[in-house]
């Protein structure tokens, strides 16, 4: 235990001299939070679209839907959209509906188009689809700000974890790993001491992202204890999977490449950036992390997701011992 | 004289080559044993298994009569063939870190580090980064780390490779002084005169097997180098 802490302390002290730790723990996640703040924008909550209508509004006003501002004419609508006052305006005439949209708000405009299309459908009689309010389903979805914040946090975290592995590879190439292995220190302590710096970098980065996105983007992560548990479990799973992949590599370079490929592939498949509607999403820790957060958000128990993440960690972390060889 | 290190039938295979093939020998307290062999003979592989860096495929290793465990590792000092130091740290910081790995307490370590720095002649450069050291200074520090925790057995893999005669003499003198105090030394070298001068016994290995064993004078007819070349041949090795 003492040896493990000494290895960790020395690792952190030596790495603090270069800026990699800082970049991974603070600069990257903060940069990402700012980027998403720019892309998604605003802190008004999940739906921030500002709509207007010339003529009748295509949907009845409701507190769940964005308000629709009455606009006098098509001419005025164009002006308002151009000046960025409104994202989109519905222009309803007799038997027709079209949308004037701002190029700066593609999502809001797309949504407006869909609304217009559905309103344009001839609907004789009562609507064929009745919307049943399902409170659980509605709240067990993450709002976009939180989804993107969490998705990018877990994506970035996979790379921060690799930080610990580079320390281990460096120890091997400097020959000092042989000395550590000859010392009266269990191999698991050597592995843990080296990989812990990656764990700390990953957790620090996630904490920064959780904090920053809550403040800047209005992301709502949920109960801190649950979020913390999901973060720790997900970091452990990421470390285990990275160790698993690396344990089949012949060289440090190969291991690093495979690990990055895995981190990127999981990020893309796991729905970090865009939803992927396939069963194989469930093979990624990203999915379980996001799902755990959604459950937490909707008042359901995140325990199933936690169990999956911890199970993956338990199965794969022992492979780290295979990396501790001279 | 009891055997501090006993090796029996040690074996290690890398894919298609058998690097160590049933090697056996013993090193006694206060004894300096030289493992001699051409490049690729399996010396480093054997030493790596003895110090616990590499797992053996077969064979038995006993340190002070015990199967290797964490406690026997604490009795062994290891000087790897490749320099094993943190170049961005100073000599003192390197020594301090490794003293922690051997469970030495801070106060105890401080005095011992000063002693070791004196022994390897690095006291006045102790607080410079290792990256600024000459090859000889780094070699000396490499040995110093192995001596730090007062091992009973010092295992050195080519400790004097690429070192000038001054550093070599200084290294060998300090090792000889320690064997006078009961330290057992197992070491490898390609310098035959050095082995003749320093070793109580030598073993000549090739292809992972022990070819012959004896005192330098027993094997030195007319000298150790002739015996070495007669036994291992003149063909170039990898
Ligand atoms: N990691 C490895 N993978 C595959 N083969 C290896 C490995 N390490 C050593 N070998 C092979 O095992 C044999 C013994 O190598 P070893 O390094 O033990 O020799 P050595 O006696 O120490 O040589 P030298 O005097 O050059 O240091 C050589 O043929 C070498 O190529
Ligand atoms: Mg060698």
């Amino acid at each position: 235990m003492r040896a493990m802490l000494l290895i960790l302390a020395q690792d952190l002290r030596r790495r603090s001299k270069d800026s990699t730790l800082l970049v991974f723990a603070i600069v990257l996640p903060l940069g990402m939070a700012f980027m998403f703040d720019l892309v998604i924008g605003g802190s008004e909550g999940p739906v921030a679209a500002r709509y207007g209508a010339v003529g009748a509004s295509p949907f009845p006003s409701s507190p769940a839907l964005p308000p629709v501002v009455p606009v006098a004419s098509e001419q005025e609508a164009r002006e308002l959209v151009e000046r960025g006052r409104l994202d989109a305006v519905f222009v309803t005439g007799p038997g027709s509906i079209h949308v004037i949209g701002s190029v700066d708000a593609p999502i809001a405009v797309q949504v407006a188009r869909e609304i217009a299309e559905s309103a344009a459908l001839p609907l004789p009689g009562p609507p064929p689809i009745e919307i049943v309010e399902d409170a659980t389903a509605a709240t067990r979805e993450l709002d976009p700000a939180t989804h993107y914040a969490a998705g990018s946090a877990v994506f970035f975290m996979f790379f921060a974890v690799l930080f610990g592995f580079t320390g281990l590879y460096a120890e091997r190439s400097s020959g000092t790993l042989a000395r550590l292995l000859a010392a009266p220190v269990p191999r698991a302590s050597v592995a843990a001491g080296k990989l812990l710096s990656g764990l700390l970098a990953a957790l620090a980065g996630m904490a920064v992202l959780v904090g920053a996105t809550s403040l800047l983007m209005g992301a709502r992560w949920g109960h801190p204890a649950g979020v913390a548990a999901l973060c720790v479990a997900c970091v452990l799973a990421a470390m285990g999977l990275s160790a698993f992949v690396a344990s089949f590599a012949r060289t440090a370079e190969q291991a690093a490449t495979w690990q990055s490929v895995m981190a990127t592939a999981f990020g893309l498949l796991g729905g970090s950036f865009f939803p992927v509607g396939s069963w194989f999403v469930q093979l990624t820790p990203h999915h379980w992390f996001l799902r755990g957060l959604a459950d937490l958000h909707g008042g359901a128990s995140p325990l199933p997701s936690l169990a999956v993440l911890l199970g993956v960690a338990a199965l794969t972390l022992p492979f780290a011992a295979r990396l501790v060889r001279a | 004289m009891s055997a501090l290190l006993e090796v029996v039938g040690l074996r290690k295979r890398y894919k298609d080559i058998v690097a160590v093939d049933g090697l056996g020998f013993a090193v006694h307290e206060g004894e300096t044993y030289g493992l001699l062999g051409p490049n690729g003979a399996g010396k480093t592989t054997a030493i790596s298994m003895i110090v616990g860096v590499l797992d053996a495929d077969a064979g038995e290793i006993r340190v002070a009569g015990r199967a290797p465990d964490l406690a026997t590792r604490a009795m062994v000092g290891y000087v790897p063939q490749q320099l094993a130091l943190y170049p961005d740290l100073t000599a003192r910081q390197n020594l301090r870190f490794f003293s922690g790995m051997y469970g030495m307490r801070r106060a105890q370590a401080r005095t011992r580090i000063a002693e070791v720095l004196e022994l390897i002649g690095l006291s006045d450069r102790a607080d410079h980064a290792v990256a600024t050291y000459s090859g000889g200074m780094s070699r000396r520090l490499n040995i110093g780390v192995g001596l730090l925790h007062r091992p009973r057995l010092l295992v050195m893999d080519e400790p004097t490779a690429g070192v000038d005669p001054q550093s070599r003499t200084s290294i060998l003198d300090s090792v000889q002084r320690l064997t006078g105090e009961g330290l057992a030394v197992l070491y490898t070298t390609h310098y035959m005169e050095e082995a003749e001068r320093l070793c109580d016994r030598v073993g000549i290995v090739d292809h992972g097997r022990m070819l012959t064993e004896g005192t330098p004078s027993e094997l030195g007819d007319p000298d150790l180098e002739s015996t070495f070349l007669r036994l291992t041949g003149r063909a170039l090795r990898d």
Side-chain angles (χ1 to χ4, degrees):
Chain A
M1 186 68 185
R2 178 170 177 254
M4 185 191 78
L5 292 177
L6 285 173
I7 293 172
L8 170 66
Q10 127 118 346
D11 206 40
L12 291 178
R13 199 177 317 125
R14 292 178 64 219
R15 308 284 212 101
S16 64
K17 289 182 198 159
D18 71 41
S19 51
T20 331
L21 183 67
L22 200 70
V23 167
F24 269 109
I26 298 177
V27 179
L28 263 183
L30 262 187
M32 235 182 237
F34 278 117
M35 203 180 76
F36 276 103
D37 184 43
L38 286 180
V39 172
I40 295 170
S43 51
E44 296 99 300
V47 185
R50 295 154 305 167
Y51 291 142
V54 180
S57 165
F59 50 85
S61 79
S62 141
L65 297 171
V68 177
V69 185
V71 179
S73 68
E74 202 171 325
Q75 174 66 28
E76 190 192 341
R78 284 189 195 286
E79 277 173 28
L80 286 171
V81 165
E82 234 157 69
R83 278 190 276 131
R85 293 288 182 77
L86 293 176
D87 293 328
V89 177
F90 302 95
V91 182
T92 344
S96 80
I97 179 166
H98 68 273
V99 171
I100 297 168
S102 159
V103 284
D104 298 327
I107 297 171
V109 173
Q110 185 56 36
V111 171
R113 282 211 189 95
E114 312 254 332
I115 293 171
E117 262 167 40
S118 62
L121 286 176
L123 301 174
I129 303 163
E130 205 165 314
I131 295 165
V132 179
E133 292 258 336
D134 177 353
T136 18
T139 47
R140 281 174 68 183
E141 291 263 308
L142 288 175
D143 57 87
T146 311
H147 178 90
Y148 286 112
S152 61
V154 66
F155 179 79
F156 134 80
M157 178 275 283
F158 255 76
F159 288 92
V161 157
L162 300 189
F163 182 75
F165 287 88
T166 60
L168 192 55
Y169 303 146
E171 199 88 38
R172 202 192 287 170
S173 67
S174 74
T176 42
L177 186 60
R179 243 197 238 289
L180 293 179
L181 292 179
V185 177
R187 281 186 192 198
S189 300
V190 176
K194 293 312 291 186
L195 297 185
L196 266 176
S197 61
L199 180 108
L200 291 182
L203 285 179
M206 286 196 118
V208 168
L209 242 165
V210 170
T213 53
S214 304
L215 292 174
L216 299 172
M217 296 163 59
R220 288 164 304 168
W221 286 78
H223 193 282
V227 173
L230 279 168
C231 284
V232 171
C234 197
V235 170
L236 290 175
M239 294 190 78
L241 287 166
S242 302
F244 176 75
V245 166
S247 72
F248 292 101
R250 297 169 127 258
T251 62
E253 291 74 26
Q254 202 175 46
T257 310
W258 290 0
Q259 287 174 328
S260 315
V261 168
M262 179 196 70
T264 312
F266 273 178
L268 295 179
L269 296 179
S272 263
F273 299 111
F274 49 84
V276 179
S278 178
W279 58 270
F280 58 67
V281 190
Q282 304 202 358
L283 298 179
T284 67
H286 301 55
H287 166 79
W288 294 100
F289 179 70
L290 293 172
R291 181 170 158 179
L293 280 179
D295 283 340
L296 197 64
H297 211 253
S301 164
L303 282 180
S305 302
L306 265 179
V308 170
L309 290 171
L310 289 175
V312 168
L315 285 177
T316 51
L317 271 176
F319 283 87
R322 287 185 44 165
L323 302 177
V324 188
R325 59 195 143 90
Chain B
M1 250 190 346
S2 61
L4 197 53
L5 171 70
E6 273 180 279
V7 177
V8 183
L10 200 59
R11 179 183 286 272
K12 181 75 187 183
R13 178 191 192 99
Y14 291 114
K15 287 237 166 72
D16 44 352
I17 41 166
V18 181
V20 175
D21 192 6
L23 194 67
F25 61 94
V27 184
H28 300 92
E29 237 165 76
E31 184 182 38
T32 301
Y33 188 103
L35 211 50
L36 311 179
N39 291 136
K43 305 180 296 294
T44 298
T45 307
I47 278 182
S48 303
M49 291 186 281
I50 289 166
V51 298
V53 169
L54 205 61
D55 295 325
D57 293 342
E60 208 180 329
I61 296 166
R62 295 199 153 262
V63 178
R66 303 170 51 167
D69 57 13
L70 292 187
T72 63
R73 284 191 198 185
M75 299 178 202
V76 179
Y78 174 40
V79 179
Q81 179 171 358
Q82 187 198 351
L83 288 176
L85 304 164
Y86 298 104
D88 54 325
L89 300 187
T90 67
R92 200 187 301 280
Q93 287 168 334
N94 268 284
L95 289 165
R96 194 181 299 141
F97 174 69
F98 286 111
S99 74
M101 292 302 106
Y102 281 87
M104 294 169 75
R105 295 287 146 196
R106 266 184 172 264
Q108 175 202 4
R110 201 172 306 127
T111 38
R112 181 61 187 157
I113 287 169
E115 273 173 38
V116 168
L117 285 168
E118 195 62 45
L119 187 76
I120 57 177
L122 282 179
S123 295
D124 44 345
R125 288 290 292 276
D127 297 306
H128 290 70
V130 170
T132 67
Y133 287 8
S134 71
M137 292 166 74
S138 305
R139 280 277 156 205
R140 263 143 57 202
L141 180 58
N142 203 38
I143 296 170
V145 177
L147 285 170
L148 188 61
H149 61 288
R150 297 183 193 279
R152 289 174 63 189
L153 170 69
L154 181 63
V155 179
M156 301 193 286
D157 199 355
E158 294 191 37
T160 55
V163 158
D164 66 18
Q166 285 84 353
S167 266
R168 178 174 308 183
T169 311
S170 141
I171 288 169
L172 299 180
D173 283 351
S174 19
V175 169
Q176 253 178 335
R177 218 174 307 136
L178 291 168
T179 54
E181 298 166 16
L183 177 74
V185 177
L186 166 65
Y187 99 126
T188 74
T189 184
H190 289 295
Y191 301 106
M192 295 300 141
E193 338 76 75
E194 186 185 298
E196 266 165 347
R197 202 189 105 201
L198 201 68
C199 296
D200 300 305
R201 283 192 306 141
V202 296
I204 298 179
V205 291
D206 201 5
H207 304 295
R209 280 188 293 263
M210 186 66 76
L211 301 179
T212 190
E213 241 187 334
T215 64
S217 52
E218 282 167 359
L219 301 181
D221 185 22
D223 55 29
L224 199 50
E225 184 148 332
S226 313
T227 311
F228 183 89
L229 287 173
R230 195 180 68 238
L231 288 173
T232 58
R234 288 178 175 272
L236 286 181
R237 304 307 176 86
D238 46 342

